[in-house]
Amino acid sequence: MAMEGERFATLSVRQGALRGRRRCTPAGNAFLSFQGVPYAKPPVGELRFKAPVPLGAWSGVRDAIEPGNQCVQYDGFAKAIVGDEDCLFLNVFTPCLSSESANGTSLAVLFWIHGGGFLSGSSNMFQPDPFMDNGVILVTINYRIGPLGFLGLDTLEAPGNAGLKDQRMALLWVKENISVFGGDPNNITLFGQSAGGASVHFHVLSPLSKGLFRRAVVQSGSALLARNVARDPAGRAERVARAAGCDARTAREPAALLRWLRAAPAPALVAAADAAKTDEERRRGVLFVLVPCVEPPHPGAFLPARPEELLRRADASRVPLVFGITTHEGMLNLPVTLLRALAHSVRGAEGLAAAEAQALAELASHLERLLPDDLDLRRPERSRRLLRRVKDFYFDGQELSEDTLQGLVNLYTDVNYASGILRAADEHSRLGSPVYLYEFAFRGLLNYVGAALRSKVQGVCHGDELAYQFRIPGLPDPAPESAEALVRRRMGRLWANFATTGNPTPSLNEEIPTTWLPFTDIAPNYLRISENLTVQSDLLKERMQFWTSLYNS
C-alpha cells in the first residue's frame, strides 16, 4: 500500500490500482476509504437482466474517492427518477493504514446490503465511522433494484434475481481482494436491513452463496415472508412492459418481450413498475411488485426453490445468525398505506386530512387486505371468522379507527416483519445454527425514520436503528456523553464482536455489561437494546401464538 502524503493512499487489487482517501472518525480514529470501486461490467445492453459479468483489468490508477452511481430508481424526495444503469460499485473502508499494518493484520469483514423494498436505496448514504472505531473492515455495495434487478420472465434468458446475483458477485470480489485491505477473506459477515436483511437471508439459503461468508445478521427482513417471493414473476414482468408501452402481442411472446424490455429506456421501466400495480394491489397498500423469485432450473439459479424448501434441504447453511426487529416496525406502513391508498386523488397538503380519514374508513371496511396472501380467505364464512378473531385480538373487538391505531401498527408489525423473522430464528435454531435474537427499543434523537413520518403512534419504527450503526448524512453527531452516543457505541461493538468471533458479547465491560444469550427453542432469549441492555425471553410470544393458532384453524 503506497501512501501519498496526508490525504490519499494507493493500493492494487486484482483488477488494477486504486487511489483512496485518508479519513478520520469523530472519535479520532483514522481509516482509509475506497469508494466507487467497480466489481462487474456495466449491466447494460445485452447484459440487462442477466447475471453480472466479472470485470477485467484496468490500466493506470483508478480514483476511488467518490461514491459510484446508485441504480436507477424513483426518488420520492426529488420526485424524479435518478441514478444510472451502470451501478455495480462498492465501497471499502478499512482501519489498516499502511502496508505494514495490512500485512500483519487480518481483520473481520462486515458486508452491508442496503434495503429499500428491492426498488430503491443505495449504499452511498451509509458512512462507516462507528465500525472504524471498532477495528473491523466495512464493505457497502450498490446493486440492481426495481425492474433492472428483479424482473424475471421465467426463462433461462431472463430468469430473475439479477440484484441478488449482483450481491453475490460483489461478495466474490471481496473474497478475492479483501486481504489487500487487511481483511480476512475467510471471516466475512453479511448484514442488511429490510430488503437488505431479506437478501442476507436469501444468501444463507442459496446454494450459490454457500461458503462465501462465515456469519450473517438479518435485520427487519426475512426470506420466509410471503411478500418477498414473487408469485407469477412472468405475469408481473408482462404488466410492467404493458405499463411502459409494450403492445399486447409482443408482451405475450417471451423472446419478443425480452428484446423489447432490453431496448426500453431504464427510466421508463422504473416508472412502469409502479404503474403496473393492479387496483387490488393498490388497495392492499402493496409497495412493490418486483421481488426475488424462484428461477427455472439451470446451474446459475440463485433461488432454485422456495425459501421454505431450501431451508429444509440437507445443505441448508448452518452459519451463526443474528435476527432482529424494532419494537414498532409497522409504523412505516401506517402512513404509507393510509395515504398512498388515495394518493392519486390528493394534490399537495390540501385535502390530506380528509384523504387520511377516507383511507382509514376504506381500510376498516376491507381489513382482509392487510392479511397475508397465504392465509386462505376465499371462502366468505372463513374470511369473516378469521377477521373477527383479528379484530378481537388487535383492536379489543372494536372497529378500526384513530383510537385503535396502536393495534393496527402491531398488526402491520406482525404480518410484514415479526412473523417471518421470528419463524426464521426458530427454524434455523432447530436446524443447529447458533442464533442470537434482538429487539431494538431505543427512542432517541437519531430515530430519523419514525420522526420523519410524524406518526400518531409513537414507537421505534422500521429503520430507526440505522443511524446508530452508521453515520447518516444530514443527521448530527450525538454528544459523546449522550444516550444516543452510548447506543451507537454499543451497536458498533456488538456487531464487530459477532463478526470477529461469532459471539456478540465474548467479554463484558462498562459499555457492554450484559451477556447476550443465544436463542433456542428451549430458551428463547433475546437482547433488548435500549438505554440499557437486558436479556429477556419469548419476544412477542402471545402475538406469535395467535398467528400460529390462526393458521392451524
Side-chain angles (χ1 to χ4, degrees):
M1 182 183 296
M3 305 307 296
E4 301 179 2
E6 294 297 317
R7 296 183 57 197
F8 302 106
T10 302
L11 56 73
S12 293
V13 296
R14 296 284 181 89
Q15 293 77 17
L18 291 170
R19 181 172 179 258
R21 287 192 297 145
R22 291 177 63 103
R23 294 169 59 182
C24 196
T25 72
N29 293 308
F31 66 97
L32 294 180
S33 165
F34 295 85
Q35 295 178 275
V37 180
Y39 63 85
K41 290 183 178 180
V44 298
E46 288 300 308
L47 297 183
R48 183 186 280 184
F49 308 127
K50 286 188 175 182
V53 176
L55 185 70
W58 59 76
S59 59
V61 178
R62 182 186 180 100
D63 272 343
I65 57 178
E66 297 293 339
N69 299 327
Q70 62 181 342
C71 185
V72 185
Q73 60 191 277
Y74 178 75
D75 185 327
F77 294 101
K79 299 190 183 305
I81 293 175
V82 301
D84 197 292
E85 195 167 359
D86 178 7
C87 64
L88 302 187
F89 298 93
L90 56 77
N91 312 303
V92 182
F93 307 99
T94 176
C96 286
L97 300 181
S98 70
S99 58
E100 290 76 18
S101 63
N103 291 333
T105 306
S106 187
L107 299 179
V109 181
L110 278 158
F111 182 101
W112 171 251
I113 303 177
H114 72 77
F118 302 107
L119 59 80
S120 65
S122 164
S123 70
N124 298 344
M125 68 178 287
F126 297 103
Q127 295 304 303
D129 304 74
F131 295 104
M132 298 301 96
D133 291 332
N134 283 288
V136 291
I137 290 176
L138 176 70
V139 177
T140 67
I141 68 169
N142 288 343
Y143 58 96
R144 282 174 284 180
I145 52 180
L148 301 175
F150 293 96
L151 184 147
L153 296 179
D154 201 26
T155 66
L156 297 184
E157 291 74 22
N161 299 327
L164 293 172
K165 295 167 187 175
D166 292 342
Q167 297 166 11
R168 179 180 178 273
M169 178 64 74
L171 188 54
L172 287 168
W173 189 97
V174 171
K175 289 281 285 186
E176 180 180 58
N177 290 300
I178 203 64
S179 60
V180 175
F181 300 88
D184 183 350
N186 296 313
N187 194 12
I188 298 171
T189 295
L190 306 187
F191 74 129
Q193 184 267 347
S194 192
S199 295
V200 169
H201 197 202
F202 282 121
H203 284 282
V204 170
L205 300 175
S206 173
L208 288 189
S209 295
K210 187 175 182 181
L212 297 182
F213 58 95
R214 194 167 182 176
R215 305 179 181 95
V217 181
V218 181
Q219 302 177 204
S220 302
S222 171
L224 301 186
L225 286 163
R227 64 180 182 144
N228 286 336
V229 181
R231 297 185 180 187
D232 186 23
R236 297 182 184 205
E238 181 180 336
R239 276 195 273 150
V240 171
R242 295 284 297 273
C246 181
D247 65 84
R249 181 177 178 179
T250 300
R252 287 193 296 267
E253 209 284 302
L257 175 59
L258 179 57
R259 288 193 297 271
W260 191 95
L261 287 166
R262 283 203 172 123
L269 295 181
V270 170
D274 184 70
K277 293 176 187 173
T278 65
D279 290 341
E280 178 60 21
E281 286 169 340
R282 293 184 187 282
R283 285 191 291 267
R284 289 175 63 91
V286 172
L287 300 184
F288 38 89
V289 296
L290 297 174
V291 295
C293 64
V294 176
E295 299 176 43
H298 67 107
F302 188 92
L303 289 180
R306 291 192 65 83
E308 294 83 358
E309 181 179 339
L310 294 175
L311 183 60
R312 290 192 295 267
R313 292 184 178 179
D315 61 351
S317 181
R318 300 291 189 269
V319 298
L321 290 156
V322 171
F323 289 96
I325 61 172
T326 67
T327 59
H328 296 80
E329 300 270 8
M331 284 173 60
L332 181 72
N333 303 91
L334 182 62
V336 169
T337 298
L338 298 186
L339 298 180
R340 285 196 181 184
L342 293 179
H344 61 277
S345 65
V346 178
R347 296 293 180 268
E350 185 177 353
L352 197 61
E356 182 176 356
Q358 184 180 347
L360 185 59
E362 171 77 5
L363 193 59
S365 300
H366 298 281
L367 201 61
E368 71 278 359
R369 294 170 183 164
L370 304 185
L371 302 185
D373 292 338
D374 57 353
L375 193 63
D376 184 8
L377 300 175
R378 289 172 295 181
R379 289 176 290 169
E381 182 180 345
R382 172 183 168 81
S383 176
R384 285 192 295 271
R385 176 166 51 84
L386 294 182
L387 285 173
R388 183 74 265 165
R389 291 185 61 187
V390 168
K391 287 181 180 180
D392 288 344
F393 186 82
Y394 285 96
F395 309 137
D396 293 328
Q398 304 176 55
E399 294 300 317
L400 176 59
S401 68
E402 286 198 9
D403 295 331
T404 56
L405 286 182
Q406 180 64 67
L408 182 59
V409 168
N410 292 343
L411 177 57
Y412 276 128
T413 296
D414 296 347
V415 170
N416 291 332
Y417 308 97
S419 57
I421 293 163
L422 295 179
R423 178 184 166 201
D426 185 64
E427 294 281 357
H428 282 281
S429 175
R430 291 176 186 274
L431 288 170
S433 290
V435 172
Y436 294 89
L437 181 66
Y438 74 86
E439 179 188 48
F440 186 81
F442 181 70
R443 289 183 60 194
L445 297 177
L446 298 183
N447 293 45
Y448 72 103
V449 181
L453 295 177
R454 300 179 183 178
S455 173
K456 295 175 182 177
V457 176
Q458 298 301 305
V460 182
C461 183
H462 183 74
D464 267 347
E465 81 275 30
L466 294 178
Y468 299 96
Q469 296 181 280
F470 303 89
R471 290 183 78 196
I472 306 292
L475 295 182
D477 286 318
E481 302 305 318
S482 66
E484 287 83 359
L486 175 61
V487 172
R488 178 180 275 183
R489 290 195 299 272
R490 282 174 169 167
M491 293 284 281
R493 186 72 259 156
L494 290 168
W495 265 239
N497 284 343
F498 180 73
T500 302
T501 70
N503 182 348
T505 52
S507 61
L508 303 180
N509 54 42
E510 286 188 15
E511 287 195 349
I512 309 290
T514 305
T515 298
W516 187 347
L517 299 175
F519 171 96
T520 68
D521 57 340
I522 298 173
N525 303 302
Y526 70 95
L527 184 71
R528 192 171 195 270
I529 303 173
S530 189
E531 290 90 341
N532 300 307
L533 299 177
T534 57
V535 174
Q536 301 186 20
S537 184
D538 287 315
L539 179 59
L540 302 182
K541 180 180 180 179
E542 291 185 2
R543 284 155 58 176
M544 294 303 101
Q545 286 178 338
F546 170 76
W547 283 99
T548 298
S549 69
L550 208 63
Y551 278 101
N552 288 344
S553 69

